[in-house]
Amino acid sequence: MTKKNFKPQGQRTVMGFDFGTKSIGIAIGQELTGSASSLKAVKAQDGIPSWDDIAVQVNEWQPDLMVVGLPLNMDGTAQEVTFKAKKFANRLHNHYAIPVETQDERLTTADAKARLFEQGGYKNLGKGKVDNMSAVIILESFFETSYGE
């Protein structure tokens, strides 16, 4: 899939990813509204997803930009999974020829669990739901840092 007509910044559809070695959460958002919605988490083996499952989402939503959450230590330093997330971001770009950026994702899992718990209690805390909500939060924080609210 190749994008030919990129939309201007501020009007793009953006796909967000919460990278994990066993599961990758996916969300879709709009720069214009600064909002995001969760899609479907895909299973991964040692950080390598089913590219067919990701292709289904990419082809359906036709994002203009992709944002991958960058897992960092609390002091901002890299950890082993940081490098795997960067590799995943590079592979996304190579697979789809769509620009990919990374976004600091510190504390998104805790925020995701808190939001999901508020919405539905413990039954709402399944792994896929947490990963997807984390992807939503990654996109929302990307919008906030890009455009300030």
Side-chain angles (χ1 to χ4, degrees):
M1 180 184 98
T2 309
K3 296 294 268 187
K4 292 185 173 96
N5 300 318
F6 288 102
K7 294 176 187 161
Q9 186 170 345
Q11 298 176 21
R12 298 175 295 186
T13 298
V14 184
M15 186 169 278
F17 296 88
D18 176 44
F19 175 81
T21 56
K22 295 181 179 156
S23 176
I24 298 170
I26 306 175
I28 195 74
Q30 299 294 327
E31 285 179 322
L32 198 59
T33 60
S35 62
S37 303
S38 70
L39 295 176
K40 181 181 181 209
V42 297
K43 293 199 181 308
Q45 278 196 310
D46 196 27
I48 300 168
S50 161
W51 289 106
D52 290 342
D53 290 346
I54 290 180
V56 168
Q57 300 299 321
V58 171
N59 291 330
E60 180 177 345
W61 293 96
Q62 300 284 310
D64 302 294
L65 174 68
M66 296 183 185
V67 176
V68 175
L70 201 58
L72 299 168
N73 291 317
M74 289 310 294
D75 64 1
T77 58
Q79 51 185 310
E80 183 182 339
V81 73
T82 308
F83 301 105
K84 289 182 178 185
K86 286 181 178 182
K87 189 174 188 178
F88 172 71
N90 288 334
R91 286 182 173 162
L92 273 176
H93 178 70
N94 292 337
H95 269 83
Y96 303 107
I98 296 171
V100 178
E101 295 188 30
T102 56
Q103 175 68 31
D104 181 350
E105 68 162 38
R106 284 177 282 180
L107 299 177
T108 56
T109 300
D111 289 350
K113 287 179 178 176
R115 279 197 202 183
L116 288 167
F117 185 80
E118 285 173 17
Q119 293 171 4
Y122 286 109
K123 69 178 182 347
N124 219 20
L125 296 178
K127 179 68 176 141
K129 288 184 179 183
V130 172
D131 292 338
N132 285 343
M133 182 59 78
S134 293
V136 167
I137 293 168
I138 288 164
L139 271 186
E140 289 174 351
S141 65
F142 172 77
F143 295 145
E144 286 171 18
T145 56
S146 296
Y147 305 104
E149 292 209 70

